[in-house]
Amino acid sequence: MKNIRNFCIIAHIDHGKSTLADRLLDFTKSVTERERKEQLLDNMDLERERGITIKSHAIQMVYNYKGEDFVFNLIDTPGHVDFSYEVSRSIAACEGALLIVDAAQSIQAQTISNLYLALENDLEIIPVLNKVDLLSANPDEVTDDIVDLIGCKREDVIRASAKEGIGIEEILNAIVERVPAPKGDPDAPLRALVFDSVYNPFRGIETYFRVFDGSIKKGQNIKFVATDKNYSADEVGTLKLVQFPKKEIQAGDVGYLITGIKNAKEVKVGDTITDANNPTKTAVAGFEDVKPMVFAGIYPVETDEYEELRTAMEKLQLNDASLVFLPESSAALGFGFRCGFLGMLHLEIIQERLEREFDMTVITTVPNVSYNAYTLKDKDKPIIVSNPSDLPEPTYLDRVEEPFIKASIITKSEFVGPVMSLCIEKRGQITDQTYLTQDRVELSFDMPLAEIVFDFYDRLKTVSKGYASFDYSPIGMRKSKLVKVDVLLNGNTVDALSALLHVDNAYDIGKRICEKLKELIPRQQFDIPIQAAIGAKIIARETVKALRKDVTAKCYGGDISRKRKLLEKQKKGKKRMRQVGNVEIPQEAFMAVLKLN
Ligand code: GTP
């Protein structure tokens, strides 16, 4: 155990985590040139395109320090707030963390919240100033920021360039010298923490774990504590670039486990693995069932593809336990599913995966958070409203509560004004303002989650010219004044366009939704009135004017070009349009409420 080091990397997106991890692997010769891909730790296609580590993985390397071999387990952490619970479990599996800070950008909100998580878990922090090669780097200033933030000595901060390969050996040495070896009792009953799981279509779920006490052996009868289920450990091993099966993984070490489980739901991140015949008395602390934060309907564009969509959703759920869905139906869109997501990014990922992996064309309806509604009849037990149509009629309604979050924003002092205005517009209440350095400020707000889901992040970037970073965590439900705003097209309510809004914003947003829909809905042979209404009361109106005859004639031309067009359309895949009544509604219309600026 004394020669094992378990660590993770805490960094803001783009500060160089993947590049640095790559360098550490190179230096320790953990990867042959042939195996070497451009970015080693991010191997899901979507991840690479988005530049975000969606799923954490782990990789082992061996480093020879002054003639002695040390086993390093680098546990990767996702960099996006949607996946913060996974980050917290990865951190709980480590004794140390590399804190990577971009020498030009300095510290960002996400980094700070993950750093706090690491400090709460008593991790040894090794600060690394990356990208010192950049002309725009401010190494001295950023070093000051780091020293202020974690209270280390200036000389503790390692100057590095992952790109140029500067400081790599120093980082590796620091991992040996500063990160404590794991503690634990190798003779106690097995106690291992699940920090991640990955779906493999051939082998089932691969569970990634860190052993705290005891050991896990091939063929052992094991038990997952939270789900209270037993399995046989068909295969255990360590994670290199490929998996290395082993007979046993001992206390202090990190590995993978294959049990033949096919469904991601049976393996919960944060759960404890123990021996079924000799279970531990103390599960690893901190287990939580992750709950979806954002809900939206997903419908097939072609109504007859409902069953196909169900099959696709079921398959997605096998490898993504945080996705939840229930069948629902909409008068406008027919049969589909109400789905729960960890956040907006998660929603986009699911939509993309449905299209890429399952060749489904889907319509996603206006996302919303989940509210608690109390009726006059039952003022104590809430109705959970995760679909606007579930909100009881105002006459039966006692009160509604909505989820609030604590938001942390770090920006430059010159942008404090605009950032505050934005947060106040979004119904935020400032709770704290701290100068981290002379011109970097951390602002804390209590805000409704719903306001974050809608366009907040883009607006924040705009008002701060990109110099703001943002992070949040839930702080519970608070009373709120909500109304359901309906949208009528051609006089018919389109339920899939309804939104739950705070009464103070409802009129303004209703008006802007109508304006936006007017831009988005294609013109047709007749006028299409667009109206927003609260109950029977119309609060806004716009009209999509009919096409003039000659324009249509040009569009559709002769028979042959029309056929060709049709063929092209089929080749390109179905367009994301949905016929509702006699009006064609494009996908963007369902997201209009989110992008009003
Ligand atoms: P995510 O995977 O999106 O979280 O980003 P990351 O933190 O893993 O960053 P990544 O390693 O992908 O680096 C982001 C960008 O910074 C890439 O274009 C890298 O080439 C560049 N980069 C990383 N390290 C350095 C460095 O030391 N110097 C310079 N100049 N660029 C660097």
Side-chain angles (χ1 to χ4, degrees):
M1 243 190 317
K2 80 177 206 335
N3 283 18
I4 297 178
R5 296 292 180 272
N6 299 313
F7 66 102
C8 59
I9 300 181
I10 296 174
H12 191 67
I13 287 168
D14 277 348
H15 283 197
K17 182 177 70 178
S18 309
T19 316
L20 184 78
D22 206 354
R23 283 279 169 274
L24 300 181
L25 293 174
D26 278 349
F27 200 97
T28 53
K29 305 205 170 54
S30 302
V31 186
T32 61
E33 198 55 38
R34 197 171 53 84
E35 290 169 325
R36 193 171 181 285
K37 286 205 223 113
E38 204 193 319
Q39 302 272 302
L40 284 161
L41 286 185
D42 294 1
N43 50 23
M44 225 165 106
D45 258 7
L46 268 180
E47 281 180 59
R48 199 170 312 161
E49 274 169 43
R50 289 168 177 274
I52 295 166
T53 315
I54 292 167
K55 272 279 177 189
S56 38
H57 303 272
I59 194 153
Q60 191 171 82
M61 46 194 132
V62 176
Y63 179 55
N64 191 280
Y65 176 80
K66 298 184 178 160
E68 204 178 336
D69 276 349
F70 283 79
V71 171
F72 285 4
N73 291 303
L74 166 56
I75 298 179
D76 195 19
T77 54
H80 192 276
V81 61
D82 281 9
F83 306 101
S84 50
Y85 181 66
E86 289 182 15
V87 178
S88 84
R89 296 304 85 200
S90 300
I91 284 174
C94 299
E95 279 80 27
L98 299 179
L99 172 71
I100 300 188
V101 180
D102 185 317
Q105 308 256 316
S106 198
I107 299 147
Q108 309 288 323
Q110 182 78 55
T111 319
I112 293 198
S113 65
N114 287 344
L115 175 70
Y116 286 157
L117 271 178
L119 291 171
E120 276 165 30
N121 281 277
D122 292 325
L123 263 53
E124 179 65 34
I125 310 292
I126 301 175
V128 176
L129 187 67
N130 190 32
K131 308 199 187 182
V132 292
D133 60 293
L134 283 180
L135 280 176
S136 55
N138 284 319
D140 293 334
E141 243 173 71
V142 178
T143 301
D144 287 341
D145 293 357
I146 296 173
V147 169
D148 281 354
L149 183 68
I150 60 176
C152 63
K153 296 196 211 86
R154 286 185 74 84
E155 54 276 21
D156 291 343
V157 180
I158 301 174
R159 296 196 172 193
S161 163
K163 195 171 165 195
E164 307 286 330
I166 300 169
I168 306 304
E169 192 171 3
E170 218 184 324
I171 294 172
L172 291 164
N173 290 344
I175 293 168
V176 175
E177 291 160 5
R178 299 192 215 167
V179 176
K183 291 192 191 75
D185 181 354
D187 302 319
L190 169 63
R191 194 168 72 101
L193 167 69
V194 176
F195 62 84
D196 196 13
S197 73
V198 171
Y199 176 79
N200 178 320
F202 305 107
R203 314 225 289 164
I205 304 289
E206 294 167 3
T207 304
Y208 295 174
F209 61 82
R210 149 76 198 266
V211 184
F212 284 98
D213 293 326
S215 69
I216 183 164
K217 298 178 192 69
K218 182 178 160 64
Q220 189 176 357
N221 214 341
I222 52 150
K223 178 197 199 75
F224 284 86
V225 174
T227 56
D228 196 22
K229 283 195 172 162
N230 293 0
Y231 305 92
S232 154
D234 295 342
E235 183 179 320
V236 295
T238 50
L239 293 146
K240 306 245 169 125
L241 209 60
V242 289
Q243 295 169 337
F244 271 73
K246 292 217 161 155
K247 286 211 177 79
E248 181 177 24
I249 305 290
Q250 290 170 335
D253 214 346
V254 169
Y256 73 91
L257 160 74
I258 289 171
T259 51
I261 298 175
K262 295 281 183 230
N263 190 335
K265 281 213 156 358
E266 290 178 47
V267 180
K268 300 195 179 217
V269 170
D271 201 351
T272 301
I273 309 172
T274 191
D275 187 318
N277 305 323
N278 181 19
T280 174
K281 290 192 180 65
T282 43
V284 182
F287 173 74
E288 269 175 44
D289 245 328
V290 281
K291 288 198 190 68
M293 303 273 259
V294 170
F295 298 83
I298 291 189
Y299 289 83
V301 164
E302 304 296 336
T303 41
D304 59 0
E305 286 182 356
Y306 172 75
E307 282 305 326
E308 254 176 82
L309 179 60
R310 177 201 295 281
T311 310
M313 298 287 290
E314 279 166 358
K315 284 202 178 133
L316 276 184
Q317 203 180 38
L318 288 181
N319 64 41
D320 183 348
S322 44
L323 169 69
V324 297
F325 66 94
L326 284 172
E328 74 168 3
S329 63
S330 141
L333 299 178
F335 291 103
F337 298 96
R338 173 83 359 193
C339 308
F341 307 95
L342 297 176
M344 286 300 282
L345 176 73
H346 189 211
L347 182 160
E348 280 172 40
I349 291 168
I350 295 295
Q351 186 172 326
E352 258 180 70
R353 293 187 64 188
L354 282 171
E355 300 199 340
R356 285 193 201 193
E357 295 169 30
F358 298 93
D359 204 17
M360 296 289 313
T361 318
V362 295
I363 293 270
T364 310
T365 66
V366 186
N368 55 260
V369 301
S370 172
Y371 299 92
N372 285 349
Y374 297 82
T375 56
L376 292 167
K377 255 196 184 151
D378 193 344
K379 292 186 188 177
D380 300 319
K381 197 169 160 269
I383 299 172
I384 312 291
V385 179
S386 52
N387 183 341
S389 64
D390 293 338
L391 188 73
E393 288 299 321
T395 41
Y396 302 115
L397 204 56
D398 179 58
R399 65 188 194 281
V400 181
E401 290 173 346
E402 67 174 318
F404 266 66
I405 54 147
K406 180 181 163 54
S408 153
I409 295 164
I410 295 177
T411 189
K412 289 190 172 179
S413 42
E414 58 184 294
F415 300 116
V416 167
V419 169
M420 279 211 193
S421 309
L422 172 66
C423 291
I424 290 164
E425 180 197 321
K426 297 285 185 186
R427 300 191 281 134
Q429 275 185 329
I430 186 149
T431 55
D432 197 14
Q433 177 175 8
T434 315
Y435 276 79
L436 299 172
T437 63
Q438 248 190 0
D439 68 352
R440 293 170 62 77
V441 188
E442 181 177 6
L443 301 168
S444 302
F445 289 90
D446 287 357
M447 286 172 89
L449 174 67
E451 300 287 347
I452 302 296
V453 173
F454 294 1
D455 84 341
F456 178 80
Y457 198 46
D458 290 336
R459 292 277 307 279
L460 180 66
K461 272 195 226 151
T462 313
V463 301
S464 64
K465 305 205 162 69
Y467 285 105
S469 63
F470 169 64
D471 190 38
Y472 68 83
S473 53
I475 50 172
M477 306 294 285
R478 291 188 187 175
K479 204 174 157 188
S480 179
K481 286 187 189 147
L482 273 198
V483 288
K484 181 157 80 90
V485 175
D486 293 319
V487 173
L488 291 80
L489 295 182
N490 226 357
N492 302 314
T493 306
V494 179
D495 57 358
L497 286 172
S498 298
L500 294 172
L501 299 172
H502 192 262
V503 69
D504 292 347
N505 302 336
Y507 285 78
D508 178 44
I509 295 184
K511 181 162 167 281
R512 281 151 60 197
I513 291 175
C514 289
E515 289 165 3
K516 191 78 186 180
L517 288 176
K518 184 184 169 185
E519 282 170 31
L520 293 172
I521 294 178
R523 300 167 80 186
Q524 293 173 38
Q525 308 288 4
F526 44 87
D527 278 2
I528 307 167
I530 304 172
Q531 295 162 304
I534 300 175
K537 189 170 164 203
I538 304 294
I539 57 169
R541 182 193 163 107
E542 294 285 335
T543 305
V544 180
K545 287 279 181 218
L547 281 169
R548 292 208 319 268
K549 282 254 158 49
D550 52 336
V551 181
T552 356
K554 259 187 209 144
C555 264
Y556 288 108
D559 219 4
I560 294 174
S561 71
R562 184 175 185 173
K563 252 191 195 149
R564 188 175 301 140
K565 243 193 189 153
L566 264 175
L567 281 175
E568 266 168 29
K569 203 169 155 186
Q570 279 168 355
K571 245 195 300 182
K572 253 197 282 172
K574 285 149 271 176
K575 232 177 146 191
R576 285 213 252 156
M577 283 269 199
R578 195 58 187 274
Q579 185 89 21
V580 176
N582 50 3
V583 182
E584 281 216 311
I585 310 179
Q587 162 73 58
E588 301 81 62
F590 296 95
M591 293 291 157
V593 66
L594 303 185
K595 303 205 168 103
L596 290 175
N597 286 281

